[in-house]
Amino acid sequence: MPLPHQPPRSPTLIDKQVASFGEAVADIPSEATIHFGGFVSPWNSPSYLVAAVARLGITDLTAISTSMGRGPANARNQTPWLPDELVPTDFWDLGLLAELGRIKKGITSFAVGARRHLVYPFEERLAAGETELELIGQGSLAERIRAARAGIPAFYTPVGPGTAVADGKEQRDFDGVPHILETALHADFALIRAYQADRHGNLIFKGARTFNETMAGAATITIAEVDQIVELGDLAPDRIHTPGVYVQRIVQRPATPTTSWEQPS
């Protein structure tokens, strides 16, 4: 029972739904550090959030992602095994922001394309000296992000000693094996993609959850782009992948896909 001087709490007070993607990202400033979720796939990329950031016009971003993206011109190369009609028209990745010259620094595992004949926007900017790169192995990147979510400031890992990854980092031996000290990777904002959410921000993912789930809560503000927003109670507690406490805003993707990142949604 609530104390006499305390009004009863109502679950209706917690509503993290935002009406539009533009509204969801409106307070992201230039020079922000942003986690971009997804795992190089149209179906788990926060495409509409990326497009909204592009329309916002902010610059000098520090972008953290498993990949720096392919950009609009190469988006269909993401799924070469599918006929064009099955490739989503509303897929924009971090390469869009690189192409627009908005990224000051990328922290990533895959900064360039794996095929010589495909040169992606971030690679072009990097070659021109217009952006910086911090390259780190994918496992260490994921753990640095997870550590930020868990409140762990740093950890030692045996991955990286003797390589450029270790430059400038503390090194110690454990059981005769060299380890380097990696610090947590906290961001100002995390932009992620999920399948379902309720208005409290509880999330369920579909397919690969990597980096979307890891980044939720590893930033001051986590914004989730979701396919569906369902009623409270529709998400079984034992099926929830990310509790709403890690999420501050949710935005539902449009029922009809857009075809241009410049089209507000």
Side-chain angles (χ1 to χ4, degrees), residues 4 9 52 59 64 95 106 117 133 177 181 188 208 210 215 245 263-264:
R9 293 179 178 268
T59 61
I64 304 167
H117 67 283
L133 169 64
V177 178
L181 184 68
D188 302 309
T210 309
M215 288 175 173
V245 68
Q263 180 179 342

Side-chain angles (χ1 to χ4, degrees), residues 231-246:
E231 295 298 321
L232 287 179
D234 283 359
L235 303 182
D238 60 349
R239 292 188 61 228
I240 291 172
H241 298 130
T242 296
V245 68
Y246 292 119

Side-chain angles (χ1 to χ4, degrees), residues 9-236:
R9 293 179 178 268
S10 169
T12 61
L13 296 177
I14 302 176
D15 191 345
K16 299 178 181 180
Q17 299 176 88
V18 181
S20 71
F21 290 95
E23 181 183 347
V25 304
D27 59 343
I28 301 180
S30 291
E31 301 184 4
T33 297
I34 306 175
H35 287 312
F36 290 89
F39 199 66
V40 292
S41 164
W43 293 280
N44 58 36
S45 172
S47 294
Y48 285 96
L49 288 171
V50 170
V53 170
R55 293 193 302 272
L56 198 58
I58 54 178
T59 61
D60 297 318
L61 301 175
T62 295
I64 304 167
S65 177
T66 180
S67 164
M68 295 309 292
R70 301 189 176 207
N74 294 301
R76 292 189 179 276
N77 292 322
Q78 197 81 280
T79 52
W81 61 89
L82 284 178
D84 282 354
E85 62 269 20
L86 295 182
V87 179
T89 60
D90 54 353
F91 170 47
W92 305 284
D93 62 15
L94 199 47
L96 170 61
L97 298 180
E99 185 174 284
L100 295 172
R102 308 286 178 75
I103 299 175
K104 177 182 69 175
K105 180 179 180 179
I107 303 176
T108 186
S109 299
F110 298 96
V112 300
R115 286 174 282 180
R116 185 176 298 177
H117 67 283
L118 287 177
V119 179
Y120 301 140
F122 184 81
E123 184 176 358
E124 292 177 340
R125 297 288 180 180
L126 190 63
E130 298 171 356
T131 190
E132 303 172 39
L133 169 64
E134 181 178 341
L135 191 65
I136 185 168
Q138 195 171 64
S140 294
L141 177 64
E143 183 62 11
R144 289 181 68 187
I145 297 168
R146 191 201 68 82
R149 170 175 168 162
I152 299 169
F155 59 92
Y156 284 100
T157 173
V159 179
T163 72
V165 172
D167 291 350
K169 297 175 182 176
E170 179 184 332
Q171 181 169 312
R172 288 182 60 184
D173 284 4
F174 294 90
D175 296 325
V177 178
H179 290 63
I180 59 173
L181 184 68
E182 293 283 8
T183 54
L185 203 49
H186 187 272
D188 302 309
F189 293 84
L191 309 183
I192 65 171
R193 170 84 177 270
Y195 171 52
Q196 289 181 321
D198 60 27
R199 60 181 171 80
H200 285 185
N202 296 305
L203 303 180
I204 287 179
F205 298 91
K206 191 175 185 179
R209 293 179 284 181
T210 309
F211 288 95
N212 280 311
E213 184 179 17
T214 305
M215 288 175 173
T220 303
I221 295 175
T222 294
I223 308 172
E225 172 180 326
V226 300
D227 293 79
Q228 300 175 9
I229 298 178
V230 302
E231 295 298 321
L232 287 179
D234 283 359
L235 303 182

